[in-house]
Amino acid sequence: MSHDTILVLDFGAQYSQLIARRVRECGVYSEIVPCTITPLEIKEKNIKGLILSGGPCSVNQENAPMPDKGIFSLGIPILGICYGLQAMTKSLGGRVVSSGRREYGISHLSYIDRKAEILSRVHDNTQVWMSHGDSVESIPDGFEIIASTDDCKNAAIEDFERKLIGVQFHPEVVHTKEGFEMIKSFVLDVVKAKPDWSMGSFIDDEIKRIREEVGDKKVLCGLSGGVDSSVAALLIHKAIGKNLTCVFVNNGMLRKNEAESVLNLFGKHFDMNLVYADAENEFLTALKGVTEPEAKRKIIGKVFIDVFYREARSIEGISYLAQGTLYPDVIESKSPTGGPSSTIKSHHNVGGLPKDLKWKLLEPLKELFKDEVRDLGRELGLPEELVDRHPFPGPGLGVRCIGEVTKERLDTLRDIDSIFIEEIRKAGLYNKIWQALADLLPVKSVGVQGDERTYREVCTLRAVTSEDAMTADWYRMPYDVLERSASRICNEVKGVNRVLYDITSKPPGTIEWE
């Protein structure tokens, strides 16, 4: 089934992915493409509308990224946001100048032209979010001012005949209170795109595509038990059944009872072909005496590849390797001039496999954002506990066991992690937190437990809120939850006598300690 599509032309904005997500929230499919896309390429894709993103440059600086002028003659609606407005203005003969001071933060629309469909759903004096240094001084011929603020006369402009619209503010961010209504008006009223893209339709389309591509060939999938690989595996399983074989590698650094949960859910409940490789001893032997974080990651990655490759070689007739690659993974290395990159992040996927395997990649989630993958998992029948699971690093507890990784320390950390997550869930806070984790530190402290003085290790608990993990703020955990967690850890976990809570945001820190 072919769906109406709106392209987001990326000029290097930090919000390009957010724009695409907002369009998809309207029920219309959206893709991010380089700003250098040609009119011919747009015609060939049969695109219904374009959105020009913001960007960090000034349109007046040398080598500033600019769209092909021909896109404005395609006869399809175009919305320019911030830099996109300025690029449209300059391309069509208007004038953009430095405003002398950067306007950053909340503003309000003091004038709204009610005949503009994009503003038909918003209230007078609605709040918008500004972030710009340049301003449109004179608008191109054929355009009218459709919105102003006290400090920005040309806050929004439109050529009604050609359906070309530009806004100086950012409707995609939550600080623009009715921004989603503006995007919805552009998508549904101006573009008149059919809102028929959903997770249900995606499943039907993708199952058909997988069957057509794979046929009766066999597919191998590395199943970690995380959200991405689980959803990818189940979707492919629904398409080709027993022609999919999943390999689940237990590296000894999983959470408490995680191996049993994965085997029961996918092997028994969903009746998948599942190969279980218990390689705990292999990983721990390779990590013996190693304390440097990057060295640990590389060792864990290498041993994983060795184990996965060994198991894969025992399975006959494999033609495809399935990976849980997401859309942000695909476009992560994009640039305004170079466009999206297909380079896959090795810590998310099975990278580094020998080239002589000659498997083709099968990536059924590569068009989806993380929140969409979670929705897809629900549609496919995965349990809520797995679908809503916090991010978990590929090397597992190996990067949360600061210092040397041993079986004893991992078991201690497993118990700490289990208690902390259990208390967060009992308090009803789990889904309010982006990521909660515990680290075991290579530091010992004196304590008093019962009638004894003890000299045991210290652990730290951490919880953060975030939109996309690029930045994160420490979560203001209620004291009673921290008190219960710390008390249980010190009483129930033998190797620990002191509990800390990490209140470092990102930046300057990272979410994980290593």
Side-chain angles (χ1 to χ4, degrees):
M1 179 180 177
S2 178
H3 299 279
D4 287 352
T5 299
I6 291 177
L7 296 184
V8 177
L9 276 61
D10 179 37
F11 291 88
Q14 60 177 318
Y15 297 134
S16 292
Q17 293 185 32
L18 189 52
I19 298 169
R21 287 175 60 183
R22 293 288 182 257
V23 174
R24 293 184 183 191
E25 287 168 10
C26 299
V28 175
Y29 183 64
S30 180
E31 284 184 12
I32 300 171
V33 297
C35 61
T36 51
I37 190 170
T38 66
L40 180 60
E41 289 172 312
I42 293 171
K43 279 185 177 179
E44 289 173 346
K45 289 175 175 282
N46 193 28
I47 301 303
K48 296 295 183 181
L50 304 176
I51 299 179
L52 313 185
S53 81
C57 300
S58 164
V59 293
N60 293 321
Q61 74 185 53
E62 189 176 356
N63 298 321
M66 294 293 288
D68 187 313
K69 288 185 181 180
I71 68 171
F72 301 110
S73 302
L74 289 173
I76 60 175
I78 300 176
L79 170 62
I81 295 176
C82 197
Y83 182 92
L85 156 70
Q86 295 163 10
M88 179 190 296
T89 297
K90 187 171 182 179
S91 296
L92 297 176
R95 179 174 165 78
V96 178
V97 298
S98 173
S99 60
R101 65 180 181 87
R102 185 172 182 81
E103 186 178 13
Y104 182 84
I106 290 171
S107 191
H108 295 83
L109 297 185
S110 54
Y111 163 74
I112 297 174
D113 186 339
R114 288 299 170 188
K115 71 175 180 290
E117 285 184 298
I118 193 173
L119 300 175
S120 63
R121 302 171 190 257
V122 305
H123 295 86
D124 290 331
N125 205 42
T126 189
Q127 177 179 303
V128 296
W129 182 262
M130 293 283 193
S131 179
H132 64 102
D134 293 348
S135 296
V136 174
E137 184 178 68
S138 60
I139 62 179
D141 292 341
F143 281 78
E144 300 178 31
I145 299 171
I146 60 170
S148 302
T149 69
D150 291 341
D151 296 320
C152 184
K153 178 183 177 183
N154 298 312
I157 63 174
E158 180 169 356
D159 182 325
F160 288 94
E161 185 175 337
R162 291 189 287 176
K163 294 188 176 181
L164 305 178
I165 305 167
V167 296
Q168 187 59 75
F169 49 86
H170 287 272
E172 71 274 22
V173 302
V174 294
H175 304 296
T176 297
K177 291 298 186 184
E178 297 177 294
F180 179 62
E181 295 302 321
M182 299 178 199
I183 291 175
K184 185 188 292 185
S185 294
F186 174 73
V187 170
L188 302 181
D189 301 335
V190 180
V191 176
K192 300 192 184 318
K194 295 193 295 271
D196 59 2
W197 192 78
S198 65
M199 280 303 104
S201 67
F202 176 85
I203 290 171
D204 294 339
D205 293 347
E206 195 60 21
I207 285 177
K208 181 181 177 183
R209 188 194 70 78
I210 291 170
R211 286 173 178 166
E212 289 175 351
E213 179 180 348
V214 173
D216 60 357
K217 295 183 176 68
K218 293 185 178 180
V219 177
L220 179 69
C221 179
L223 181 63
S224 69
V227 178
D228 303 342
S229 69
S230 298
V231 172
L234 189 51
L235 180 60
I236 296 168
H237 177 68
K238 285 190 176 292
I240 63 173
K242 292 296 185 177
N243 278 345
L244 169 70
T245 298
C246 293
V247 174
F248 172 49
V249 177
N250 183 352
N251 61 9
M253 287 163 271
L254 304 176
R255 285 177 166 174
K256 195 169 186 177
N257 302 322
E258 188 166 14
E260 295 83 353
S261 297
V262 171
L263 293 173
N264 285 330
L265 179 63
F266 294 97
K268 294 182 180 179
H269 180 73
F270 287 118
D271 192 28
M272 290 185 184
N273 284 338
L274 182 59
V275 176
Y276 175 52
D278 187 351
E280 179 180 32
N281 290 336
E282 202 167 333
F283 279 88
L284 292 178
T285 299
L287 288 167
K288 187 174 178 61
V290 180
T291 59
E292 202 275 320
E294 191 58 28
K296 289 198 294 186
R297 283 181 177 270
K298 288 180 178 177
I299 289 169
I300 294 169
K302 182 183 182 304
V303 176
F304 176 85
I305 294 303
D306 291 343
V307 174
F308 186 85
Y309 174 59
R310 185 170 64 233
E311 298 295 337
R313 293 293 255 183
S314 68
I315 304 168
E316 294 183 359
I318 297 297
S319 298
Y320 287 86
L321 173 65
Q323 296 195 133
T325 309
L326 305 191
Y327 197 38
D329 298 335
V330 175
I331 63 178
E332 186 183 52
S333 300
K334 70 186 184 304
S335 69
T337 54
S341 167
S342 59
T343 302
I344 305 304
K345 295 189 286 186
S346 61
H347 61 281
H348 279 170
N349 302 289
V350 185
L353 287 169
K355 294 179 181 178
D356 65 344
L357 293 182
K358 297 178 182 176
W359 293 331
K360 296 179 181 176
L361 279 183
L362 185 63
E363 300 170 305
L365 311 181
K366 67 180 180 181
E367 296 178 350
L368 302 182
F369 292 104
K370 188 75 173 190
D371 55 333
E372 294 170 331
V373 172
R374 296 188 194 278
D375 290 341
L376 177 57
R378 294 184 184 94
E379 289 275 345
L380 291 170
L382 284 172
E384 203 71 25
E385 185 172 315
L386 190 154
V387 170
D388 287 332
R389 183 186 182 190
H390 291 174
F392 190 63
L397 297 179
V399 297
R400 297 179 180 174
C401 194
I402 314 301
E404 185 177 6
V405 180
T406 65
K407 175 75 162 61
E408 182 182 22
R409 297 189 78 223
L410 285 169
D411 286 341
T412 297
L413 185 53
R414 261 185 277 273
D415 288 339
I416 295 167
D417 173 85
S418 177
I419 290 170
F420 187 38
I421 297 300
E422 183 182 324
E423 289 298 330
I424 289 172
R425 287 191 182 279
K426 280 164 55 177
L429 301 176
Y430 189 83
N431 290 335
K432 297 179 180 179
I433 295 168
W434 170 271
Q435 192 169 352
L437 58 113
D439 289 281
L440 186 61
L441 307 183
V443 175
K444 289 189 175 182
S445 73
V446 173
V448 179
Q449 292 173 295
D451 294 327
E452 297 180 14
R453 282 174 65 84
T454 59
Y455 188 54
R456 294 175 179 168
E457 286 191 304
V458 176
C459 75
T460 180
L461 308 181
R462 179 155 171 74
V464 298
T465 56
S466 180
E467 287 288 326
D468 53 13
M470 298 300 291
T471 60
D473 189 21
W474 64 278
Y475 183 70
R476 275 64 173 172
M477 189 72 69
Y479 290 156
D480 59 331
V481 178
L482 288 175
E483 182 181 23
R484 283 196 301 271
S485 299
S487 177
R488 285 191 58 194
I489 289 167
C490 290
N491 287 330
E492 298 174 30
V493 182
K494 184 178 179 181
V496 172
N497 66 1
R498 194 175 297 271
V499 179
L500 312 178
Y501 187 63
D502 183 353
I503 61 169
T504 311
S505 294
K506 177 186 178 182
T510 52
I511 295 177
E512 298 283 351
W513 275 47
E514 290 191 3

